[in-house]
Amino acid sequence: MAMLSSAVALVSYRYLAKAGPVPVTIAANAYVNPWLVIHATGAATALFVGPWQFLPVFRTRQTAAHRMCGQIYVAGCVTGGTAALVLATGVSTGPIAGTGFSLLGIAWIAATIFAVREILAQRVSSHRRWMIRSFALTLSAVTLRLYLPASFQLGLDPILSYRVISWACWLPNMVLAELYLTFSKADAIP
C-alpha cells in the first residue's frame, strides 16, 4: 500500500512541474486550470504521508512527527478534496462520472474532518476508525490508476469505463475499510 501510494504521489507531482502528458479525459475538463494542479498537489501529499501514519512505531514513539504529518495529511485531503469537487463539475464524461467524483470528494473531506474532530476530543479509537476511512478514500487515486489501464487493455469503451471507474475507484475501498473495521481488532491497537 505504501509503495503504490508513494509511486502514485510522485508521478502525480508532475502536474506541478507541468511535465508529462495530461490524459485526454482530464485535459477536456472545463476547470482543468488551475484546479488539476491544486487537486494533484493536495491528493499526492496525502497519498505520500498517509501510509506512514499507520505505523505503530511512528504513532507511539514519534508522536510530534505523527501529529505534524497528520496535519499535512489533513491539509492535503481538504485541499485535494475541494479541488476535486470543482473538477467533478467540469468532467467531460457526463453527470454519472461527475456525481461519482463529487460524492468521493464529499466523503473524503467529511471522513477527514470527522477524524480531526475525534482526535481534538481525545477519542483516539474513533479517530483511528475515521482515519482508516479517510485513507481508504485517499487510496481511490491508486485504485483509479489500476482500473484505467485495465479497462484500456480489455478494450472497453473509454467513456463508459471512466463513468464506472468514477464510482469503482472508491466504493469498494469503503466496503473493504468497513469490513476491516467490523471484523478486526482496530480499537485494540495501543
Side-chain angles (χ1 to χ4, degrees):
M1 172 185 67
M3 288 174 47
L4 284 173
S5 292
S6 296
V8 170
L10 291 173
V11 169
S12 296
Y13 280 131
R14 78 182 188 278
Y15 293 117
L16 279 165
K18 301 202 183 322
V22 176
V24 175
T25 53
I26 296 172
N29 188 297
Y31 304 110
V32 72
N33 291 314
W35 295 102
L36 177 61
V37 171
I38 296 168
H39 171 67
T41 302
T45 301
L47 268 175
F48 198 71
V49 300
W52 312 110
Q53 294 294 86
F54 291 100
L55 294 174
V57 70
F58 189 63
R59 286 193 320 265
T60 58
R61 294 189 189 155
Q62 303 292 325
T63 55
H66 173 72
R67 191 173 298 117
M68 182 186 69
C69 285
Q71 292 166 351
I72 292 168
Y73 174 82
V74 168
C77 290
V78 172
T79 301
T82 302
L85 290 173
V86 175
L87 288 167
T89 64
V91 295
S92 61
T93 51
I96 293 171
T99 303
F101 287 129
S102 291
L103 292 176
L104 166 57
I106 291 166
W108 190 25
I109 293 167
T112 305
I113 289 172
F114 290 156
V116 170
R117 179 193 66 189
E118 294 305 289
I119 200 60
L120 291 175
Q122 298 180 8
R123 294 186 287 261
V124 176
S125 179
S126 181
H127 166 72
R128 282 193 194 117
R129 295 174 70 81
W130 280 108
M131 287 309 289
I132 288 168
R133 292 177 181 112
S134 172
F135 195 67
L137 292 164
T138 302
L139 281 174
S140 66
V142 173
T143 52
L144 175 99
R145 282 159 184 84
L146 295 173
Y147 291 151
L148 285 174
S151 68
F152 178 75
Q153 289 297 317
L154 292 170
L156 301 175
D157 175 75
I159 302 297
L160 178 60
S161 295
Y162 201 72
R163 289 174 182 158
V164 171
I165 291 168
S166 71
W167 294 85
C169 70
W170 65 279
L171 287 174
N173 293 12
M174 288 307 299
V175 169
L176 290 172
E178 290 303 321
L179 288 171
Y180 173 78
L181 290 170
T182 301
F183 295 109
S184 76
K185 305 234 185 274
D187 292 333
I189 299 171

